[in-house]
Amino acid sequence: MSTAVEKSGLGAGDHIRMNYLDALVEAQVEEMERDERVIMMGEDIAIYGGGKLVERFGPDRIWSMPISESSFTGVGIGAAINGLRPIVDLNIASFMYLAADQIINQASKLRYMTGGQISVPIVFRCCMYYGASLAAQHSDRPYPMFMNIPGLKIVCPASPTDIKGLMKAAIRDDDPVLVFEDTKLWPLKADIPTDPDFLIPLGSALVKRQGTDVTLVAIAGAMRPALDAAQALSKEGISVEVIDPRTLKPLDTATIIESVAKTGRLVLVENAHRMCSVTGEIAAIVAEEGFEYLKRPIQRLTASDVHVPFSPALEGQMFPRKATIVAAIKKLI
Amino acid sequence: MTTPIVLPKWGMGIDEGTVIRWLKAEGDSVAAGEPIVEIETAKASQSVDAPVSGRLTKILVAEGETALVNTDLGTIEQHDG
């Protein structure tokens, strides 16, 4: 297989338009070309996609795994300890629960428990599906519970450029990184850099839109309605600054607090459940470190603390939408 | 009888598609199973086939526009009999 960048014949200083999923493939192929220690493993991974990855890199580097997340996650961690840099594809985000003992008790703790003698350079990938009647067991957004674990880095890229730059940074990182892809972002297109060394450092937020009246922080798939809301409000003379943390851990709190210092108002939006969510953490940090900047109480928009319903009518009400974001912002003005 | 041409749900996580090209114009005759419109999704470009034989009476989603899955892309007026 050839990637879109290879087919285009463009040089390293160029940009090429592609969607989120293609940018993710580009990032992984580039890193596998750059470093032969990078391998990929996951269920049926050598055959899905028409076997293209295995044609290019061979079965020594593309490992098909059985339906046993706990065991193959352990295999990946063992491989990482012994010098490889695995990308473990866990597919649906809810399957992270099956792999959680290996991720939490082994990957996150071994550097600490061995006094730094062991590092675990591994990437765990998963997709957050929801809003499509996939029912409660396949619709979770479980990144908040992993944020509670020391020793893990967590990214939630929300654009094609960010998935490319953050995925490559995650693969090159010497510690475990969890990459949560939001399927609502898959069709998004952008001009991404072709440079094979284009990286976005873990822990850097992005101001997606400058504004002066309200700071709007949105996570993963919530970015699409957040940007729509900011655009709609600009027509009414309300200037919204939109921030994407991009990395949830370590969290770039400086960028958020700097923005709140300017606007004095903060609205936080995400599609995970409300209790102990990343928006709850950001609200706590701003209350601790930026309380004097706040002119109005912090507003949070999240999914309710109930499981995701199968019913399309009910699930449609579950997540923050453009209209609910606009209403929350207007409450503060 | 009027039959809608529906944007199919091709897979998990595919919630929308963009019309790349209509292969038939309004007023053209179409045969059941014949590709009539090309759609790009996040994973692939695919065509939607005519669900029935008849005449393409209306294009509801123009080239370049994006629609959610299960949206009516157009309508076919079936031949009598």
Side-chain angles (χ1 to χ4, degrees), chain B residues 29-46:
Chain B
S29 288
V30 296
E34 186 180 13
I36 43 175
V37 56
E38 287 178 0
I39 305 288
E40 184 184 83
T41 67
K43 284 191 174 174
S45 294
Q46 285 160 281

PDB file of all heavy atoms in Angstrom, chain B residues 29-46:
ATOM      1  N   SER B  29     -34.003   8.079 -17.058  1.00  0.00           N
ATOM      2  CA  SER B  29     -34.491   6.747 -16.674  1.00  0.00           C
ATOM      3  C   SER B  29     -33.388   6.003 -15.950  1.00  0.00           C
ATOM      4  O   SER B  29     -32.206   6.122 -16.292  1.00  0.00           O
ATOM      5  CB  SER B  29     -34.884   5.949 -17.920  1.00  0.00           C
ATOM      6  OG  SER B  29     -36.070   6.472 -18.445  1.00  0.00           O
ATOM      7  N   VAL B  30     -33.775   5.246 -14.936  1.00  0.00           N
ATOM      8  CA  VAL B  30     -32.792   4.447 -14.191  1.00  0.00           C
ATOM      9  C   VAL B  30     -33.317   3.025 -14.037  1.00  0.00           C
ATOM     10  O   VAL B  30     -34.531   2.804 -13.981  1.00  0.00           O
ATOM     11  CB  VAL B  30     -32.503   5.051 -12.798  1.00  0.00           C
ATOM     12  CG1 VAL B  30     -31.867   6.424 -12.923  1.00  0.00           C
ATOM     13  CG2 VAL B  30     -33.746   5.120 -11.935  1.00  0.00           C
ATOM     14  N   ALA B  31     -32.386   2.071 -14.003  1.00  0.00           N
ATOM     15  CA  ALA B  31     -32.766   0.666 -13.811  1.00  0.00           C
ATOM     16  C   ALA B  31     -32.394   0.243 -12.393  1.00  0.00           C
ATOM     17  O   ALA B  31     -31.379   0.703 -11.862  1.00  0.00           O
ATOM     18  CB  ALA B  31     -32.030  -0.209 -14.822  1.00  0.00           C
ATOM     19  N   ALA B  32     -33.211  -0.594 -11.796  1.00  0.00           N
ATOM     20  CA  ALA B  32     -32.932  -1.088 -10.444  1.00  0.00           C
ATOM     21  C   ALA B  32     -31.535  -1.694 -10.396  1.00  0.00           C
ATOM     22  O   ALA B  32     -31.151  -2.462 -11.286  1.00  0.00           O
ATOM     23  CB  ALA B  32     -33.972  -2.133 -10.042  1.00  0.00           C
ATOM     24  N   GLY B  33     -30.738  -1.295  -9.408  1.00  0.00           N
ATOM     25  CA  GLY B  33     -29.393  -1.841  -9.248  1.00  0.00           C
ATOM     26  C   GLY B  33     -28.322  -1.036  -9.947  1.00  0.00           C
ATOM     27  O   GLY B  33     -27.127  -1.275  -9.782  1.00  0.00           O
ATOM     28  N   GLU B  34     -28.742  -0.041 -10.725  1.00  0.00           N
ATOM     29  CA  GLU B  34     -27.787   0.793 -11.470  1.00  0.00           C
ATOM     30  C   GLU B  34     -27.227   1.885 -10.533  1.00  0.00           C
ATOM     31  O   GLU B  34     -27.981   2.544  -9.819  1.00  0.00           O
ATOM     32  CB  GLU B  34     -28.548   1.453 -12.623  1.00  0.00           C
ATOM     33  CG  GLU B  34     -27.685   2.225 -13.573  1.00  0.00           C
ATOM     34  CD  GLU B  34     -28.524   2.864 -14.708  1.00  0.00           C
ATOM     35  OE1 GLU B  34     -29.768   2.898 -14.608  1.00  0.00           O
ATOM     36  OE2 GLU B  34     -27.905   3.326 -15.659  1.00  0.00           O
ATOM     37  N   PRO B  35     -25.896   2.089 -10.528  1.00  0.00           N
ATOM     38  CA  PRO B  35     -25.341   3.159  -9.680  1.00  0.00           C
ATOM     39  C   PRO B  35     -25.855   4.517 -10.146  1.00  0.00           C
ATOM     40  O   PRO B  35     -25.809   4.806 -11.341  1.00  0.00           O
ATOM     41  CB  PRO B  35     -23.818   3.052  -9.897  1.00  0.00           C
ATOM     42  CG  PRO B  35     -23.593   1.725 -10.538  1.00  0.00           C
ATOM     43  CD  PRO B  35     -24.840   1.375 -11.278  1.00  0.00           C
ATOM     44  N   ILE B  36     -26.355   5.324  -9.195  1.00  0.00           N
ATOM     45  CA  ILE B  36     -26.898   6.618  -9.615  1.00  0.00           C
ATOM     46  C   ILE B  36     -26.228   7.809  -8.938  1.00  0.00           C
ATOM     47  O   ILE B  36     -26.302   8.922  -9.443  1.00  0.00           O
ATOM     48  CB  ILE B  36     -28.431   6.719  -9.400  1.00  0.00           C
ATOM     49  CG1 ILE B  36     -28.829   6.151  -8.048  1.00  0.00           C
ATOM     50  CG2 ILE B  36     -29.183   6.072 -10.523  1.00  0.00           C
ATOM     51  CD1 ILE B  36     -30.296   6.352  -7.748  1.00  0.00           C
ATOM     52  N   VAL B  37     -25.552   7.567  -7.793  1.00  0.00           N
ATOM     53  CA  VAL B  37     -24.910   8.705  -7.128  1.00  0.00           C
ATOM     54  C   VAL B  37     -23.690   8.206  -6.365  1.00  0.00           C
ATOM     55  O   VAL B  37     -23.731   7.125  -5.754  1.00  0.00           O
ATOM     56  CB  VAL B  37     -25.915   9.461  -6.224  1.00  0.00           C
ATOM     57  CG1 VAL B  37     -26.567   8.554  -5.194  1.00  0.00           C
ATOM     58  CG2 VAL B  37     -25.273  10.659  -5.517  1.00  0.00           C
ATOM     59  N   GLU B  38     -22.606   8.985  -6.434  1.00  0.00           N
ATOM     60  CA  GLU B  38     -21.384   8.624  -5.706  1.00  0.00           C
ATOM     61  C   GLU B  38     -21.312   9.413  -4.402  1.00  0.00           C
ATOM     62  O   GLU B  38     -21.522  10.624  -4.399  1.00  0.00           O
ATOM     63  CB  GLU B  38     -20.136   8.954  -6.548  1.00  0.00           C
ATOM     64  CG  GLU B  38     -19.934   8.009  -7.710  1.00  0.00           C
ATOM     65  CD  GLU B  38     -18.727   8.386  -8.568  1.00  0.00           C
ATOM     66  OE1 GLU B  38     -18.040   9.387  -8.249  1.00  0.00           O
ATOM     67  OE2 GLU B  38     -18.496   7.688  -9.564  1.00  0.00           O
ATOM     68  N   ILE B  39     -21.017   8.695  -3.334  1.00  0.00           N
ATOM     69  CA  ILE B  39     -20.983   9.300  -1.998  1.00  0.00           C
ATOM     70  C   ILE B  39     -19.610   9.071  -1.382  1.00  0.00           C
ATOM     71  O   ILE B  39     -19.068   7.971  -1.456  1.00  0.00           O
ATOM     72  CB  ILE B  39     -22.032   8.627  -1.066  1.00  0.00           C
ATOM     73  CG1 ILE B  39     -23.427   8.671  -1.682  1.00  0.00           C
ATOM     74  CG2 ILE B  39     -22.006   9.255   0.333  1.00  0.00           C
ATOM     75  CD1 ILE B  39     -24.071  10.020  -1.701  1.00  0.00           C
ATOM     76  N   GLU B  40     -19.061  10.106  -0.743  1.00  0.00           N
ATOM     77  CA  GLU B  40     -17.822   9.940   0.008  1.00  0.00           C
ATOM     78  C   GLU B  40     -18.141   9.932   1.502  1.00  0.00           C
ATOM     79  O   GLU B  40     -18.820  10.821   2.003  1.00  0.00           O
ATOM     80  CB  GLU B  40     -16.853  11.083  -0.294  1.00  0.00           C
ATOM     81  CG  GLU B  40     -15.505  10.887   0.393  1.00  0.00           C
ATOM     82  CD  GLU B  40     -14.566  12.060   0.170  1.00  0.00           C
ATOM     83  OE1 GLU B  40     -14.691  13.045   0.901  1.00  0.00           O
ATOM     84  OE2 GLU B  40     -13.728  11.989  -0.727  1.00  0.00           O
ATOM     85  N   THR B  41     -17.658   8.895   2.196  1.00  0.00           N
ATOM     86  CA  THR B  41     -17.751   8.874   3.660  1.00  0.00           C
ATOM     87  C   THR B  41     -16.331   8.917   4.214  1.00  0.00           C
ATOM     88  O   THR B  41     -15.363   8.928   3.451  1.00  0.00           O
ATOM     89  CB  THR B  41     -18.450   7.599   4.168  1.00  0.00           C
ATOM     90  OG1 THR B  41     -17.612   6.473   3.880  1.00  0.00           O
ATOM     91  CG2 THR B  41     -19.805   7.403   3.513  1.00  0.00           C
ATOM     92  N   ALA B  42     -16.224   8.904   5.559  1.00  0.00           N
ATOM     93  CA  ALA B  42     -14.895   8.972   6.167  1.00  0.00           C
ATOM     94  C   ALA B  42     -14.036   7.797   5.744  1.00  0.00           C
ATOM     95  O   ALA B  42     -12.820   7.903   5.660  1.00  0.00           O
ATOM     96  CB  ALA B  42     -15.032   9.015   7.679  1.00  0.00           C
ATOM     97  N   LYS B  43     -14.653   6.649   5.482  1.00  0.00           N
ATOM     98  CA  LYS B  43     -13.862   5.452   5.191  1.00  0.00           C
ATOM     99  C   LYS B  43     -13.654   5.187   3.710  1.00  0.00           C
ATOM    100  O   LYS B  43     -12.669   4.571   3.344  1.00  0.00           O
ATOM    101  CB  LYS B  43     -14.526   4.224   5.829  1.00  0.00           C
ATOM    102  CG  LYS B  43     -14.310   4.160   7.340  1.00  0.00           C
ATOM    103  CD  LYS B  43     -14.723   2.825   7.900  1.00  0.00           C
ATOM    104  CE  LYS B  43     -14.361   2.734   9.373  1.00  0.00           C
ATOM    105  NZ  LYS B  43     -14.851   1.518   9.999  1.00  0.00           N
ATOM    106  N   ALA B  44     -14.607   5.561   2.852  1.00  0.00           N
ATOM    107  CA  ALA B  44     -14.501   5.179   1.448  1.00  0.00           C
ATOM    108  C   ALA B  44     -15.450   6.001   0.592  1.00  0.00           C
ATOM    109  O   ALA B  44     -16.368   6.635   1.099  1.00  0.00           O
ATOM    110  CB  ALA B  44     -14.842   3.696   1.278  1.00  0.00           C
ATOM    111  N   SER B  45     -15.203   5.958  -0.729  1.00  0.00           N
ATOM    112  CA  SER B  45     -16.182   6.489  -1.680  1.00  0.00           C
ATOM    113  C   SER B  45     -16.940   5.314  -2.271  1.00  0.00           C
ATOM    114  O   SER B  45     -16.331   4.333  -2.697  1.00  0.00           O
ATOM    115  CB  SER B  45     -15.486   7.267  -2.792  1.00  0.00           C
ATOM    116  OG  SER B  45     -14.889   8.418  -2.252  1.00  0.00           O
ATOM    117  N   GLN B  46     -18.248   5.399  -2.258  1.00  0.00           N
ATOM    118  CA  GLN B  46     -19.074   4.302  -2.744  1.00  0.00           C
ATOM    119  C   GLN B  46     -20.237   4.875  -3.523  1.00  0.00           C
ATOM    120  O   GLN B  46     -20.581   6.036  -3.370  1.00  0.00           O
ATOM    121  CB  GLN B  46     -19.629   3.499  -1.549  1.00  0.00           C
ATOM    122  CG  GLN B  46     -18.592   2.605  -0.902  1.00  0.00           C
ATOM    123  CD  GLN B  46     -18.981   2.215   0.520  1.00  0.00           C
ATOM    124  OE1 GLN B  46     -18.824   2.998   1.437  1.00  0.00           O
ATOM    125  NE2 GLN B  46     -19.488   1.020   0.679  1.00  0.00           N
TER     126      GLN B  46
END
